[in-house]
Amino acid sequence: MPLRDLALGLAVIAIWALNIIVIKLGVAELPPLLLTTLRFALVAALLVPFHPVARHQLPFLALLSVTFGTLHFALLFIGLGQAEAGTGALLVQMGTPFATLLAVVFLRERLEPRRLAGLALSFAGVAVLAGGPTLPAPLPTALLLASALGWAISQLLIKQGPNVSPMALAGWVALFATPQVALGSWWFEQGQWQAIAAAGWAGWGAVFYTAVMSSIVAYGLWYGLLRCHPVNRVVPLTLLMPVGAVLLGVVLMGDGLGVHKLVGGGLVIAGLALIVLRVGGKRPAA
């Protein structure tokens, strides 16, 4: 890969790693479902007018908005509000092992020994994390793993669904997900208008960053690289994302870096490497 393209790929990974920190800062000022609603609304406003889709694609996009929009992103924002940045990023990476298992069960894909070893290492890494002090309480842990499962289900739907351009998919999923998450915010959260009025640079910066930088700019650059290079040259860069999130959490948020996080995180990333380097894939991030 040319140095310029490698730099662009690393820039995307940096954007996605920093996105974890930004979400944590944002949910400190805005309730997580409200923040997710504002993010989706901004993505939809910026993308939908310029990326029309066929009418027959709308049911697929509506379904995807439930699994990818509501299940993945909404639970991610809630879970990260109660978890350390690095630990949360590592848990969300379990979407890749989940997707592998779902493909074996529902798509009858073959599970080679290499991928089986990757699955074993990934789940062993979560088990090690569970024994350390950085793992959040059971509820946010379950929410982050459910978010990873939502991502995995979405990847199977995208693989089997109609061909929709990445920007159109992001925009229309955001459009359909906006009222779903807004309803959740209305039902489960309080003080939304007061939070909006009191939000400062962290809250509104999180809305802008998660929508524009993480979803639109990073995705645009990423899929541009995938069009120019083989998938197996680009996708391995995603292994650096949780590493970056862990380091940024330590430097910017004061997160701990104990033996459980180092060993458990290393096992998770090693397992992902065995799966991704063998199979490849277009893995979106939060």
Side-chain angles (χ1 to χ4, degrees):
M1 187 183 299
L3 183 60
R4 172 183 172 275
D5 289 353
L6 178 61
L8 289 176
L10 293 175
V12 171
I13 299 305
I15 290 173
W16 283 337
L18 185 58
N19 189 54
I20 301 294
I21 308 298
V22 170
I23 291 173
K24 285 194 62 65
L25 294 175
V27 296
E29 293 195 357
L30 294 168
L33 291 178
L34 175 61
L35 176 58
T36 312
T37 301
L38 296 173
R39 170 205 183 274
F40 280 144
L42 182 55
V43 171
L46 294 175
L47 292 181
V48 168
F50 307 102
H51 298 277
V53 296
R55 181 174 297 181
H56 69 85
Q57 296 173 327
L58 294 179
F60 164 73
L61 293 168
L63 174 61
L64 197 60
S65 73
V66 176
T67 62
F68 197 34
T70 300
L71 184 58
H72 172 57
F73 278 106
L75 295 185
L76 173 66
F77 279 48
I78 296 172
L80 283 178
Q82 305 174 56
E84 285 191 357
T87 304
L90 289 168
L91 290 176
V92 173
Q93 296 305 305
M94 291 303 293
T96 296
F98 288 158
T100 301
L101 288 174
L102 291 175
V104 170
V105 173
F106 293 103
L107 303 183
R108 304 289 187 239
E109 290 189 3
R110 183 183 175 187
L111 189 59
E112 303 96 342
R114 183 185 182 99
R115 298 168 71 193
L116 184 60
L119 290 173
L121 284 176
S122 298
F123 285 105
V126 173
V128 172
L129 286 172
T134 65
L135 195 75
L139 179 58
T141 298
L143 292 176
L144 289 169
L145 291 175
S147 171
L149 180 61
W151 178 88
I153 295 171
S154 301
Q155 300 317 296
L156 264 68
L157 291 175
I158 292 171
K159 187 173 183 178
Q160 297 298 306
N163 186 25
V164 182
S165 70
M167 290 295 101
L169 187 146
W172 285 87
V173 165
L175 180 66
F176 284 122
T178 298
Q180 300 172 38
V181 184
L183 181 62
S185 177
W186 175 75
W187 187 264
F188 294 108
E189 297 175 338
Q190 296 179 346
Q192 290 91 332
W193 291 115
Q194 293 89 333
I196 289 175
W201 67 268
W204 292 113
V207 173
F208 174 84
Y209 189 94
T210 58
V212 177
M213 295 302 297
S214 180
S215 288
I216 298 177
V217 174
Y219 270 117
L221 292 173
W222 187 252
Y223 285 104
L225 291 174
L226 286 171
R227 284 193 297 267
C228 297
H229 302 283
V231 171
N232 60 4
R233 291 186 184 177
V234 180
V235 169
L237 292 174
T238 60
L239 297 173
L240 297 174
M241 198 283 283
V243 177
V246 169
L247 293 177
L248 288 173
V250 172
V251 174
L252 300 179
M253 308 294 290
D255 293 347
L257 191 62
V259 63
H260 286 88
K261 183 182 287 187
L262 288 172
V263 175
L267 288 172
V268 169
I269 294 170
L272 295 178
L274 287 176
I275 297 170
V276 172
L277 294 178
R278 174 70 173 175
V279 188
K282 299 179 182 181
R283 189 206 194 308

